[in-house]
Amino acid sequence: MYLLTSIIIMIIVKASEVVVDEDIHYQQSEEEWKASFYYIPTNTNSNEESLDKKDGLPTFNELKVALNKYRDMTDDILYQLSRSHEVASRTEHILYPNHDTYSPMLLSSKLEHKIKRSAETLEQNMIVLERLLKPFPINIGILPNHKPDADDSTNPFTFPPKNYISNNNQCKTSREASATTSIARYIAPYKEMNDVNQRINDKYNGEEEPYDTASHILTHMTREWTDSGASIRRDTHDWIVDELLTYHNQLDSSTDSQESPLSPVLVPGAGLGRLAFDIAFTQSNRDTDVKRQVFYPFVVEAVDNSLVMGAAAYQIFHYHHSEHDEENLTMYPMASDPFINEVDSERRWKSSVFPEDKVSDQFNLLKSMKQSSDAFHQPNISYVIGDFVSIYASPKHGAYSSVATCFFIDTATNIYEYILTIRNLLKSGGLWINLGPVQWHRNAQLQPTTAELKDLILLAGFEIMKWEISDKLIAYRHPDDIRVGTRAEAYRPLKFVVQLQPDPDECSTQDGNTSLLSSLEKVRQVTGRKSMMIPKEDIDDDTSNANSDDDDIDA
């Protein structure tokens, strides 16, 4: 048994020293499709180590941290198993002295097999993660669909919001609206916490936590880019895309443009970008005098606050499936699951290959369509890395015609921020399409029911077009999360489509000069939240050190 422990230690060292010599191949030709990536530094997604003080460019330190944490977790898993093996062996030696040490019925024998398989699968996961989490070309401080000189007169909204649901057609003044009775207890002001454990344990002093661990990458990769997650995407992404197409087809007859009236589409909480990819690669047909045209109507902008997610998304978007065999793309998404609620261990060793063949088929179709038409327009997708509220609650509003959120709204610390930010960025008549649970995360200060959430959305000036709770259970990561084990991991998601309405005329005298961003900043100050504003001294340092002529970096 002591020899086994020595072998385990050797395997741990091997898994922690994986070096990848072969790089993923990218579609770097100007003629081939590429997605653009952008990084918007804010006070909520930046720290002293995330940006280089000399040139203001990302250091990609988060990628190193994520890989190191996964190595540590791998070591912990193998140590836990080896310790369990030692406990089982000593117990069996005393309680079953007459049994063969290697009897397959003894738990120690089963643990030996589990240790071996865990070491192999976790090592393969480490290889995959090191292929994905590496620096990549990125633009700094630019919003792809933001046009500074554009006329925003088509969006007449003001802030604070007008009274959309007044029963007596009378509008309260700001003073009257704020005259409420306070029953709250003391809320401590925000203070920076250097101790990670203290920050994790204080759920009221936290912010929206980015999904930036390597384990999150494996979970999202399974759901978004493998055959294993296809049934989940049919119940989630396909529903959102179908709703977009339904409204697109109703509006498209009034325009000759290939771009949909619902463009651009913003996808907050984009993760590894599959929903944004599916929307951007959705095709639409139009009959002309010459022939039937097939085109991609949706311009899509994804946004996520995790640089780690953005790095992995970049590799997937620019990956050419045919240049690798399946062994290099195989991962084991359940290898690091907790050792609880298992019927047996076989599910733990199930592999998934990414990206699925359907993605390669879409790229091949794209190439053939481009070769057959000189006027062909490629899918348009961009990915922004930054804090959703800080970026899109800015004074410039009405830049987007639709928003698609999937498994996103329950990540909010204060759901009012998400709702009003979406209101701010949408054009008048713009659509918000949502699917996901309301399993409010541990950082949430507000946890409304779906009925209460509906009232908040109405209050912000949206009209409910569709609102329902799914009758079907949908797994979060893998279909087996429902069928296998002694506990099911699944949701009955909230699905809705709402449309932003114009401000009511009867409230046109209400003061509308207040900035949403400044109001949300005040809310954060009085509710114990971290400021969204980057300290002035940090801005001055970045301005004096940054090279304004160099917006891009090369991977």
Side-chain angles (χ1 to χ4, degrees):
M1 66 184 69
Y2 297 104
L3 176 61
L4 177 62
T5 303
S6 299
I7 294 174
I8 300 299
I9 294 174
M10 293 174 63
I11 293 175
I12 292 174
V13 172
K14 180 181 178 183
S16 300
E17 294 179 349
V18 173
V19 178
V20 179
D21 295 325
E22 182 183 6
D23 290 333
I24 286 181
H25 296 268
Y26 310 109
Q27 301 168 317
Q28 297 289 359
S29 170
E30 288 298 327
E31 287 77 21
E32 294 184 334
W33 181 84
K34 292 194 294 185
S36 299
F37 279 66
Y38 304 81
Y39 183 78
I40 314 276
T42 64
N43 198 34
T44 54
N45 73 338
S46 300
N47 54 56
E48 292 181 357
E49 298 180 346
S50 63
L51 293 176
D52 192 305
K53 288 296 183 182
K54 292 183 179 180
D55 54 20
L57 300 176
T59 61
F60 295 100
N61 182 64
E62 294 92 334
L63 308 185
K64 304 172 190 175
V65 171
L67 289 173
N68 288 336
K69 285 184 177 179
Y70 192 81
R71 291 190 187 97
D72 292 342
M73 184 187 69
T74 296
D75 294 351
D76 290 342
I77 290 172
L78 295 178
Y79 174 77
Q80 176 188 350
L81 287 172
S82 63
R83 190 176 187 279
S84 296
H85 176 269
E86 190 69 19
V87 171
S89 297
R90 295 184 183 189
T91 303
E92 292 158 1
H93 179 72
I94 295 173
L95 300 180
Y96 296 94
N98 299 322
H99 280 67
D100 183 357
T101 305
Y102 299 102
S103 170
M105 295 185 67
L106 294 177
L107 184 58
S108 59
S109 297
K110 300 178 187 298
L111 283 167
E112 287 185 24
H113 174 71
K114 191 175 291 188
I115 289 168
K116 179 177 180 296
R117 293 293 288 129
S118 291
E120 294 170 348
T121 54
L122 291 170
E123 179 182 357
Q124 176 61 25
N125 284 351
M126 196 71 236
I127 293 174
V128 169
L129 289 168
E130 288 187 331
R131 293 182 185 276
L132 292 172
L133 303 185
K134 57 179 66 174
F136 57 98
I138 193 168
N139 302 286
I140 306 299
I142 305 172
L143 209 55
N145 290 294
H146 181 76
K147 301 176 176 60
D149 299 327
D151 179 17
D152 64 349
S153 59
T154 58
N155 185 18
F157 296 109
T158 56
F159 186 83
K162 305 299 176 61
N163 189 345
Y164 291 87
I165 55 176
S166 174
N167 292 326
N168 54 7
N169 293 323
Q170 294 180 355
C171 297
K172 295 181 179 180
T173 65
S174 298
R175 183 180 299 274
E176 291 171 338
S178 62
T180 58
T181 302
S182 176
I183 59 174
R185 300 296 184 263
Y186 171 72
I187 300 178
Y190 177 85
K191 67 176 181 179
E192 194 70 44
M193 295 181 183
N194 296 322
D195 185 343
V196 174
N197 292 326
Q198 183 183 11
R199 186 166 60 247
I200 290 174
N201 291 330
D202 189 349
K203 66 179 181 178
Y204 293 111
N205 212 12
E207 294 303 317
E208 289 83 5
E209 293 292 335
Y211 283 66
D212 57 1
T213 69
S215 296
H216 284 134
I217 298 297
L218 297 176
T219 296
H220 281 246
M221 190 68 73
T222 304
R223 187 176 72 191
E224 297 187 30
W225 293 100
T226 71
D227 286 331
S228 302
S231 62
I232 298 175
R233 293 193 300 275
R234 281 195 295 271
D235 292 327
T236 55
H237 293 185
D238 287 1
W239 182 85
I240 292 174
V241 172
D242 288 345
E243 290 297 321
L244 267 174
L245 275 176
T246 297
Y247 287 94
H248 162 77
N249 292 331
Q250 293 174 1
L251 299 170
D252 188 45
S253 58
S254 61
T255 176
D256 294 329
S257 172
Q258 286 193 352
E259 184 175 321
S260 171
L262 296 178
S263 287
V265 183
L266 186 70
V267 182
L272 292 184
R274 184 58 190 269
L275 175 59
F277 180 92
D278 287 344
I279 295 173
F281 275 73
T282 296
Q283 297 179 3
S284 184
N285 302 315
R286 178 180 293 143
D287 293 323
T288 66
D289 295 336
V290 180
K291 61 180 180 180
R292 191 175 210 189
Q293 288 183 328
V294 179
F295 57 96
Y296 299 95
F298 299 115
V299 175
V300 182
E301 182 176 319
V303 57
D304 198 280
N305 67 341
S306 170
L307 183 64
V308 177
M309 280 288 176
Y314 180 89
Q315 308 297 342
I316 293 296
F317 281 179
H318 301 90
Y319 179 80
H320 195 282
H321 184 67
S322 63
E323 295 183 5
H324 282 275
D325 56 35
E326 289 192 351
E327 183 179 356
N328 292 329
L329 299 171
T330 301
M331 63 177 180
Y332 297 86
M334 291 165 277
S336 58
D337 282 2
F339 295 95
I340 57 175
N341 291 309
E342 289 187 291
V343 175
D344 57 52
S345 296
E346 294 309 308
R347 175 174 180 259
R348 183 175 292 273
W349 321 130
K350 279 188 176 182
S351 63
S352 295
V353 177
F354 70 92
E356 61 172 339
D357 291 338
K358 181 180 178 181
V359 176
S360 299
D361 294 341
Q362 287 176 305
F363 279 121
N364 292 332
L365 176 62
L366 180 65
K367 184 180 296 185
S368 64
M369 290 173 63
K370 186 178 188 307
Q371 292 172 348
S372 63
S373 174
D374 295 334
F376 173 70
H377 293 284
Q378 300 190 88
N380 188 330
I381 183 171
S382 54
Y383 193 112
V384 175
I385 301 167
D387 179 66
F388 170 64
V389 174
S390 302
I391 297 171
Y392 296 96
S394 62
K396 187 69 178 181
H397 48 66
Y400 302 86
S401 296
S402 51
V403 174
T405 53
C406 185
F407 287 87
F408 173 68
I409 60 175
D410 56 359
T411 66
T413 298
N414 186 328
I415 186 60
Y416 279 106
E417 291 187 346
Y418 279 13
I419 294 173
L420 290 177
T421 298
I422 291 173
R423 176 189 184 274
N424 182 73
L425 62 87
L426 275 176
K427 298 177 182 177
S428 177
L431 292 180
W432 175 12
I433 302 174
N434 173 80
L435 183 145
V438 287
Q439 180 169 304
W440 303 103
H441 290 206
R442 65 191 315 277
N443 57 283
Q445 294 178 321
L446 300 174
Q447 298 137 339
T449 66
T450 58
E452 292 165 343
L453 179 65
K454 186 176 184 180
D455 283 342
L456 297 183
I457 292 173
L458 286 169
L459 187 67
F462 290 92
E463 178 184 353
I464 306 296
M465 314 295 286
K466 182 176 294 187
W467 188 280
E468 62 185 69
I469 306 295
S470 175
D471 292 329
K472 182 179 180 180
L473 278 174
I474 298 176
Y476 177 73
R477 172 187 57 177
H478 190 283
D480 285 353
D481 291 342
I482 299 177
R483 300 190 296 262
V484 181
T486 61
R487 177 181 175 180
E489 294 288 343
Y491 304 88
R492 292 177 55 231
L494 167 66
K495 301 191 288 188
F496 64 73
V497 180
V498 297
Q499 186 175 42
L500 185 58
Q501 302 302 298
D503 279 338
D505 293 337
E506 64 270 16
C507 297
S508 59
T509 59
Q510 185 175 346
D511 180 16
N513 295 323
T514 307
S515 163
L516 171 61
L517 195 63
S518 64
S519 295
L520 294 182
E521 181 66 21
K522 292 177 183 177
V523 169
R524 293 199 172 195
Q525 290 175 2
V526 300
T527 57
R529 300 278 304 285
K530 183 177 182 180
S531 171
M532 291 183 286
M533 308 303 179
I534 299 178
K536 186 178 185 302
E537 56 269 21
D538 292 348
I539 298 175
D540 293 340
D541 288 343
D542 291 341
T543 303
S544 61
N545 294 324
N547 181 358
S548 60
D549 295 330
D550 185 12
D551 289 331
D552 299 334
I553 64 172
D554 295 326

